[in-house]
């Protein structure tokens, strides 16, 4: 009775986006020098559900992800109850080049946790949004 | 005075491994169907500093990562102080096939947060271990 193949539940797109909006930090997953790479970064969600990042135009991250499909992951887990959720957005990362859009994001978009000399915004379009919830495991008494 | 290019600090291997040992969950970063993929999973560290995972032998994860180089990331961040750390282990993932090693891990290795019908252990060798610490940003008063 304690085996439960439904220990995790797939989440719908709207539920995923609602959870994403709760957390300040996620992780960009990409390829660098043909190796899997991952970088935590704070973010916000755009009105069109794109993941929005603020970084430096000369950063390794921008060089690695501009124009390519990346994944962006966020999660929350509670070790005490072995429960939590994770969401992955997969889509093309693009540097915001439109001056009006840049200005709009400079006012209302994500801040950076790192001091930046120059700012560039990167969008990750939410082409594919998947998520799952882990309900916690009952341990026999 | 509030710009600080040293807002993050690179961490040494031993410091990275000490931090990794503090958290129960990390994220496997790999490639699936030519797209970047990421899956959070609980883990433990082996005596040789390998990342040890316990999963199901028929899982998509095992199929995707057995024998290939993956990254494994863990982090902790505090939104209030905009501080935290992240560590990435990069190395080859291998399924433990040696029966004695399997038995040893069944006794002392990681448990799974998900109920498993069958168990397989996966090692990610800590060939490359990198990390950084974000010290928090001072905001002008």
């Amino acid at each position: 009775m304690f085996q439960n193949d439904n220990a995790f539940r797939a989440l719908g797109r709207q539920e995923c986006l609602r959870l994403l909006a709760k957390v300040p930090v996620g992780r960009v997953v990409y390829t660098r020098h043909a190796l899997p790479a991952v970088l935590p970064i704070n973010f916000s969600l755009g009105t069109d559900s794109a993941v929005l990042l603020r970084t430096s135009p000369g950063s390794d991250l921008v060089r690695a992800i501009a124009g390519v499909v990346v994944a962006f992951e966020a999660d929350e887990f509670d070790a005490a109850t072995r429960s939590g959720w994770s969401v992955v957005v997969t889509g093309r990362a693009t540097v915001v080049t439109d001056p009006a859009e840049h200005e709009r994001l400079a006012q209302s978009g994500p801040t950076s946790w790192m001091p930046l000399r120059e700012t560039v915004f990167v969008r990750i379009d939410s082409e594919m949004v998947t998520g799952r919830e882990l309900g916690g495991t009952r341990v026999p008494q």
Side-chain angles (χ1 to χ4, degrees), chain A residues 8-71:
Chain A
F8 75 86
R9 182 173 73 86
L11 300 174
R13 180 182 174 97
Q14 289 311 315
E15 205 166 8
C16 288
L17 294 172
R18 185 182 61 75
L19 289 166
L20 263 188
K22 286 176 54 183
V23 293
V25 172
R27 298 146 200 103
V28 186
V29 171
Y30 58 107
T31 301
R32 184 174 51 206
H33 308 314
L35 287 176
V38 48
L39 186 76
I41 188 167
N42 66 301
F43 73 104
S44 68
L45 278 182
T47 50
D48 60 352
S49 304
V51 171
L52 300 171
L53 313 176
R54 181 180 196 138
T55 183
S56 166
S59 64
D60 289 344
L61 182 67
V62 167
R63 270 194 295 273
I65 73 174
V68 305
V69 174
V70 303

Side-chain angles (χ1 to χ4, degrees), chain A residues 39-109:
Chain A
L39 186 76
I41 188 167
N42 66 301
F43 73 104
S44 68
L45 278 182
T47 50
D48 60 352
S49 304
V51 171
L52 300 171
L53 313 176
R54 181 180 196 138
T55 183
S56 166
S59 64
D60 289 344
L61 182 67
V62 167
R63 270 194 295 273
I65 73 174
V68 305
V69 174
V70 303
F72 187 81
E73 190 266 359
D75 59 46
E76 276 186 326
F77 289 99
D78 177 359
T81 57
R82 297 183 166 192
S83 64
W85 58 267
S86 68
V87 166
V88 179
V89 171
T90 306
R92 193 169 300 275
T94 49
V95 174
V96 172
T97 54
D98 177 61
E101 174 76 354
H102 181 97
E103 188 53 37
R104 196 182 63 75
L105 291 173
Q107 300 297 325
S108 63

